[in-house]
Amino acid sequence: MLVVLTVWGLFPVVWMFLSSLKPPENLLTSPVIWVPRVLTLQHYATVLQSPRFIKYFFNSFTVASSTLVIALVLSVPAAYAFARFRFPLSRGAFLSVLMSQLLPQAVVLWPVFVLLQHLRLLNKLSGLTLSYLMLVIPFSIYTLRGYMAHLPREIEEAALIDGCSPITSFWRIVVPMSTPGIAATGIYIFISSWNEYMFALVYTNSTAQRTLMVGIHEFMGEYFTDWGAVMAASSLVAAPALILFVVFRRFFIEGIAQGGVKG
Amino acid sequence: MSRKAAVRRRVQWMPMVFAGPALVVILLLVAFPIIYNIYMSFFTQTWSGELEFAGMANFVELFFDDFFRGSLLHTLWWAVIGVLGVLFLSTWASILLTDKDINATLRKMCTVLIALPYLIPAVVSAAVWKWIYHYDFGPLNDFLIRFGLFHRVAWLEQPTVALWAIAALWIWHIYPVLMLQVLAALQAIPFEIREAASIDGASKSAVIRHILVPMIKPNLIILGLLATLWASKSFAYIQVMTEGGPANSTAIFSHYIYNAAFIKFAPGLTAAASIVMFLVMLGISSFYISALRRSTDAD
């Protein structure tokens, strides 16, 4: 039974990689040619030589990295504040953090569009980054706070007694101790931004600003689709995440298990 | 001022500085959209671009709009069927994986392999499945015909079938994450409980039904909520596969909002639709939260 589930899970992935290597004549055939006799790299060549693809890749990478850095810079201190202190409005603020999880993207789609319009950030990568920050920060704060709340207080208290200021204690003690949590959250932030589609579709409309996800959809035209190229592009896009996962799987599984249910 | 008071004062502003910037961003995300939507939903935009007060006209228009009602129906359907499917699969898979009769290496390998699909971006998985579902050249139809099981099915071209097909893709893509959560929950259950039950003569399925599932019920409820929220985000999958489907049959709420905002250019309508969606989501969430409270109270 497990075998069935595993096969069902893996088949599309295998199909994707396999098809990206099939020569064009073998692609759209009926009956389907499952395993090609000849393999070719020409689809990868098509994709990698396309300046649009390179641009989209660069855009996605820029947006995802910027979101990652800024989100962490904002969320880690905020999580610490929520984990260790009770300050005015903290309860209401944390409630809004939770509330923001309830908001479907479509509900904020239009207001954020108007906001970006007023800030003249439409069709700019920085505008997109801002919208992504709004998406990932609540969850990051929630997860990191949960993680930090479980850290032993004794070390921080010892530091404070020894004359450390709270800020130094945060920077030199709490942050290093939270590295696994920060790493897992960071991975989540980067991948969420990398995979995001709806905001990217709506908030950019020129080729120069387009991201990879929208780009792939673009490759699948209405009447004609170069499936080989689409599969090659898909494989390229999916590969980093897969490799990261296999290497860091402990982080992934722990990060997901920690942040979700225990709270 | 005494040192204690000075320290207390200093400690007060520090967390606010720490949390401040992040909270500003969150406020932009939570407070602003809701207030804006409520405000705008009572206005319409005239041809000249001016806003004129329209009272409840937008909401009335929504209720009479077939597209709106259809998208609402599809969203709710998705929230129920999709979530049930995901919960069922993730629980089943986790139970299979925690079976003691499995070799440890096989278990680790299967866990990793089953979790893999989630790593593929949504758009990519939709693209791959779009091909798999292809009427003429897709492997699924080929598989069905080859073994004489069936005839070709137009998975994405028929109204009702398309919705099921895309829902299947969504379940395929999402259930790994939830499975990991359920797995963590199941592994927290001490093994002795299972052993004790089977020593007392309980069959495997009885153990599952009467012991394991009730023990992880709170977790399942939370995951159900999470899945429902994610279901409302399935815009990407649908957009790539059918763009709303044959005759709007696969359009969900997000499609209606997208349409109202960027094709009809009706900001008031968009805001009204956004509010309705928000209220629906709120309603569903409160259902889950009360279910959660009930299940933890009963303990």
Side-chain angles (χ1 to χ4, degrees), chain A residues 1-3 5-13 15-17 19-20 22 27-34 73-82 85-89 93-94 96-97 99-115 130-131 133-135 137-138 141 165-167 170 188 191 194-198 201-203 212-214 216-217 220-222 227-228 230-231 233-235 237-238 241-242 245-246 249 252-253 256-262, chain B residues 10-23 25-30 32-34 36-37 40 89 92-93 96-97 102 106-124 126-132 134 136-140 142-143 146 152 168 171-172 175 177 180-182 184-185 218-219 222-223 225-226 229 232-233 235-237 239-241 243 253-255 257-258 261-262 266-268 270-271 273-275 277-278 281-282 285 289:
Chain A
M1 216 25 330
L2 260 188
V3 174
L5 281 178
T6 319
V7 167
W8 181 53
L10 286 184
F11 169 70
V13 181
W15 178 260
M16 175 180 77
F17 282 117
S19 307
S20 65
K22 282 186 198 157
L27 277 179
L28 298 178
T29 59
S30 170
V32 166
I33 298 180
W34 289 71
V73 165
L74 291 185
S75 316
V76 173
Y80 179 62
F82 279 115
F85 301 93
R86 235 171 288 135
F87 52 96
L89 299 179
F94 196 64
S96 1
V97 171
M99 275 275 289
S100 52
Q101 309 266 54
L102 288 181
L103 286 175
Q105 251 175 295
V107 170
V108 299
L109 182 71
W110 174 244
V112 172
F113 181 84
V114 170
L115 181 71
L130 179 61
S131 70
L133 284 175
M134 293 197 255
L135 285 181
I137 286 186
I141 294 184
S165 74
I167 296 184
F170 167 72
Y188 162 80
I191 293 193
W194 184 262
N195 293 352
E196 205 280 333
Y197 176 77
M198 190 193 248
L201 178 70
V202 169
Y203 299 149
L212 216 43
M213 294 299 133
V214 184
I216 291 189
H217 185 33
M220 303 192 303
E222 198 170 302
W227 284 107
V230 171
M231 291 298 122
S234 301
S235 307
V237 168
L242 291 176
F245 180 66
V246 174
R249 61 179 171 276
F252 271 95
I253 300 187
I256 292 175
Q258 268 231 359
V261 184
K262 279 196 278 180
Chain B
R10 205 237 232 117
V11 168
Q12 274 294 74
W13 65 249
M14 193 195 80
M16 295 185 79
V17 165
F18 268 36
L23 286 180
V25 172
I26 295 183
L27 234 63
L28 279 180
L29 173 65
V30 178
F32 172 68
I34 298 183
Y36 181 82
N37 275 334
M40 279 302 283
L89 264 187
W92 190 28
L96 285 174
L97 280 175
I102 299 183
L106 185 67
R107 175 180 316 168
K108 260 195 206 134
M109 203 178 64
C110 275
T111 313
V112 171
L113 289 180
I114 290 185
L116 213 59
Y118 185 66
L119 271 304
I120 316 276
V123 172
V124 166
V128 176
W129 275 88
K130 189 170 182 179
W131 189 6
I132 295 183
H134 198 284
D136 297 305
F137 308 123
L140 183 58
D142 186 78
F143 183 78
R146 224 176 253 258
R152 286 182 190 276
I171 294 177
W172 173 86
Y175 98 89
V177 178
L180 289 178
Q181 302 267 33
V182 181
N219 303 51
I222 295 182
L223 290 180
L225 176 59
L226 210 62
L229 294 174
S232 62
K233 288 188 185 166
F235 179 75
Y237 304 94
Q239 189 69 5
V240 170
M241 294 195 99
E243 294 205 9
F253 245 121
S254 326
H255 287 91
I257 292 180
Y258 180 79
F262 302 109
T270 318
S274 306
I275 293 198
M277 181 177 194
F278 175 62
M281 282 294 135
L282 212 57
S285 311
I289 294 180

